[in-house]
Amino acid sequence: MKTIVFFENTGISYLQTRRIIERIRAQRSEDTLVVISAGDFTADGLPVIPASSFRADAYMEAGADLILSLPAASVLGGYGKKDFASIALVQRLHAADALIFPCIPLPGQSLSECERVLRSCSMLIFRERPDYRQKFKENLKNGMRFMDAQKDAVCACLPEAAELLCSSENRFAVSLMDAMLQLYYLVSIEFMDVSDLRIEAAESAVDDLQLQTECLAIRDLHHQPEVPAARNLHHQPEVPAAQAGADPLVESIKALLQKYTAEELLNISGSDARVIAALFDHADEIRSAGSFSQVTELLRPFASSADSLRLFLLKAVLGIRHSSMQICGLHVYSPYCHVLGENPEKQEAIKRMEASSWVPFVKEGFCDLNLDDSFRSLMKADRKADQLSHRM
């Protein structure tokens, strides 16, 4: 029996992820399947819907044996840091025999050829070949988002990868392999063709309706207001306050104006003096804002990018300071992990994994583990993130 690891990809729906886990379980019935959850936020600070606790329940039903997630500070560390932290976590478990990477080969392309090209992409990024580095820097200078700039630079250097990298599954595999190379983590990678599991646009619309229905059905259990209230974070049409209630993230941002001074906010990870000054200069307008998009529209002219602004505001709400990120860095961006689900039938294997892991397992509401005092600020941010995600 082996221990295999699968990473949740926020670029695809959780329903498609569930299908992939079901296939892995069907093909590897005897192995212990560990799922690394994406948590409640993407690397650029957008919420992952539904909440991680709901998704974890679905993945356990699909066949996962253990589901782990990173601290909020590790998730929100910035571009590339989340994938880096995810790989670091698995490396420090000292238990993985193989990593499962879903991919989408081109029509007529073999799985092995798809793997070859994707490995070439990750090696190009890792080595920072001069032509790649120059193109990447040019893209960033021209205002492209980090991931788009990276993809465009890779395609300019490796034209054969252009069509492959249109797939979120393939881009995610490249990002994870780049992180593995950075950490010199050598473990078996098994690519899995999941082309037939993709959810098409028409089917996705039906699944999205099903997802909203499921979220509404469990909102009392997870203490979540209705799903449309969370959609404001995705810049969806606003829901009248009388219907959706106050946006929890917006209310938390308003509280910052009372809780912190401008000088104190400079200690927040990703702080920007111009954004902080604008935050207080536009205090009255922010206090009257009804959605996160209204707040970001006010502050966007003062930020280097929409993504950096979103990340800063979210880290300010969670209280993630520069010192928090230094702690994560000292522990290779995975100082501990949260257990979101475990299979009672695999308790012996899980206990062995926990005993050999260099990363402490945190269970049941963050309070059953005596972590070092330096982790208290990280745990406090996790509690806030958990509360926020269940209110969105």
Side-chain angles (χ1 to χ4, degrees):
M1 183 177 72
K2 295 183 177 181
T3 297
I4 54 177
V5 179
F6 166 76
F7 300 83
E8 182 181 18
N9 176 9
T10 59
I12 62 177
S13 75
Y14 100 97
L15 295 166
Q16 184 173 338
T17 300
R18 185 166 63 185
R19 294 181 183 182
I20 295 172
I21 293 173
E22 288 172 345
R23 171 164 293 179
I24 296 173
R25 173 50 65 209
Q27 295 181 356
R28 310 287 291 266
S29 59
E30 298 301 319
D31 293 335
T32 299
L33 173 56
V34 179
V35 173
I36 306 302
S37 170
D40 287 311
F41 298 96
T42 64
D44 53 4
L46 290 171
V48 182
I49 300 174
S52 59
S53 55
F54 173 64
R55 301 197 316 274
D57 289 343
Y59 299 159
M60 291 300 297
E61 291 177 1
D65 293 312
L66 178 66
I67 301 179
L68 304 175
S69 69
L70 295 163
S74 299
V75 169
L76 301 172
Y79 289 108
K81 298 292 178 60
K82 183 177 182 180
D83 295 337
F84 183 90
S86 296
I87 292 296
L89 168 59
V90 174
Q91 182 182 37
R92 289 156 62 83
L93 289 178
H94 297 286
D97 295 300
L99 310 184
I100 308 297
F101 285 1
C103 64
I104 308 290
L106 300 177
Q109 185 181 50
S110 67
L111 181 61
S112 60
E113 178 60 15
C114 175
E115 175 182 347
R116 182 193 67 78
V117 177
L118 295 182
R119 286 184 181 274
S120 297
C121 292
S122 62
M123 187 60 70
L124 174 69
I125 296 172
F126 170 66
R127 289 179 173 171
E128 291 192 327
R129 210 170 72 188
D131 53 344
Y132 163 80
R133 184 169 60 250
Q134 180 179 351
K135 181 64 174 176
F136 180 52
K137 288 182 177 180
E138 288 176 359
N139 289 341
L140 290 178
K141 187 176 181 180
N142 291 332
M144 292 181 68
R145 297 181 65 204
F146 185 95
M147 298 305 295
D148 293 335
Q150 188 178 72
K151 174 190 170 185
D152 182 76
V154 169
C155 294
C157 298
L158 293 175
E160 62 179 329
E163 193 173 352
L164 269 179
L165 294 185
C166 291
S167 161
S168 173
E169 293 87 343
N170 295 340
R171 293 194 302 272
F172 189 49
V174 169
S175 182
L176 291 174
M177 286 190 291
D178 173 44
M180 292 177 69
L181 289 168
Q182 291 183 57
L183 288 166
Y184 298 97
Y185 181 38
L186 302 177
V187 68
S188 175
I189 298 174
E190 298 181 10
F191 283 80
M192 173 182 286
D193 184 348
V194 295
S195 303
D196 60 322
L197 299 182
R198 299 197 80 178
I199 297 177
E200 301 300 331
E203 186 181 1
S204 179
V206 175
D207 284 337
D208 188 57
L209 179 60
Q210 176 187 346
L211 169 57
Q212 293 189 42
T213 302
E214 290 174 344
C215 288
L216 290 173
I218 65 163
R219 72 176 188 272
D220 291 333
L221 176 63
H222 289 284
H223 309 292
Q224 294 183 25
E226 296 188 2
V227 169
R231 299 286 184 172
N232 287 336
L233 295 176
H234 287 289
H235 309 288
Q236 297 291 326
E238 294 176 17
V239 178
Q243 288 181 259
D247 184 316
L249 184 53
V250 173
E251 293 304 308
S252 297
I253 292 172
K254 293 175 184 178
L256 294 176
L257 298 171
Q258 301 296 327
K259 183 178 180 180
Y260 294 111
T261 64
E263 185 176 351
E264 288 172 329
L265 283 177
L266 283 172
N267 292 323
I268 295 296
S269 175
S271 61
D272 185 309
R274 292 183 68 225
V275 171
I276 294 171
L279 185 66
F280 286 93
D281 289 342
H282 294 273
D284 290 339
E285 296 163 278
I286 290 171
R287 290 190 182 97
S288 63
S291 71
F292 185 64
S293 59
Q294 289 178 353
V295 175
T296 55
E297 285 170 9
L298 284 169
L299 301 177
R300 177 63 185 91
F302 308 95
S304 58
S305 71
D307 293 339
S308 65
L309 172 61
R310 189 187 308 111
L311 278 172
F312 166 68
L313 291 174
L314 188 53
K315 287 188 281 190
V317 165
L318 300 180
I320 299 176
R321 303 174 180 273
H322 293 296
S323 57
S324 302
M325 302 312 298
Q326 290 169 356
I327 293 170
C328 286
L330 290 172
H331 294 271
V332 202
Y333 288 93
S334 58
Y336 55 85
C337 64
H338 293 286
V339 178
L340 302 186
E342 50 187 337
N343 182 357
E345 297 180 2
K346 291 290 184 73
Q347 281 302 300
E348 287 189 17
I350 292 172
K351 286 180 179 178
R352 286 196 299 270
M353 193 183 310
E354 185 174 3
S356 65
S357 174
W358 287 7
V359 182
F361 286 18
V362 179
K363 307 176 185 179
E364 299 300 329
F366 316 99
C367 61
D368 67 336
L369 193 63
N370 293 320
L371 292 173
D372 187 277
D373 287 346
S374 61
F375 290 164
R376 287 183 180 178
S377 61
L378 299 178
M379 298 292 284
K380 187 176 181 180
D382 290 341
R383 292 189 187 95
K384 290 182 180 179
D386 185 66
Q387 292 166 1
L388 183 62
S389 68
H390 285 85
R391 291 174 58 202
M392 291 192 303

